[in-house]
Amino acid sequence: AVAAEIVAMFMFVTIGCGVACGNGAFDGETRLLVAFAFGMGILVLAYTIGHHSGGHINCAVTFSLVLGGQVPWYQGLANLLAQLLGSVLGACF
């Protein structure tokens, strides 16, 4: 589950920020393209890793599930650290 969260955040940041940096947000078309890339990225990644880790992909989602009692605190902490590591690695590439 932790490895799936690392890979998902790495891919999400790489895809979303790569499209944003490559196209910018100069007009309506490029803004729509960037929003579509982020949306499709999260959709594909949630379906891809959802059966491995629950498909949280976002620290806020993991935190809310821990507070709601749906995920144990130790799994939430492991997912949170994995998501942070994956996003930093994605930002480096």
Side-chain angles (χ1 to χ4, degrees):
V2 173
E5 291 291 330
I6 290 174
V7 170
M9 278 304 292
F10 173 80
M11 293 299 296
F12 182 63
V13 171
T14 303
I15 291 167
C17 294
V19 171
C21 289
N23 294 299
F26 303 113
D27 57 0
E29 292 176 6
T30 56
R31 288 185 186 133
L32 184 62
L33 180 67
V34 170
F36 188 74
F38 272 105
M40 288 304 290
I42 204 77
L43 173 82
V44 169
L45 290 169
Y47 274 106
T48 304
I49 68 143
H51 60 282
H52 292 293
S53 68
H56 303 169
I57 307 177
N58 188 335
C59 298
V61 173
T62 302
F63 186 63
S64 66
L65 289 172
V66 169
L67 289 180
Q70 300 294 319
V71 175
W73 68 269
Y74 51 86
Q75 182 65 46
L77 181 63
N79 282 356
L80 180 84
L81 294 175
Q83 291 160 355
L84 291 173
L85 177 63
S87 62
V88 167
L89 288 174
C92 290
F93 290 101

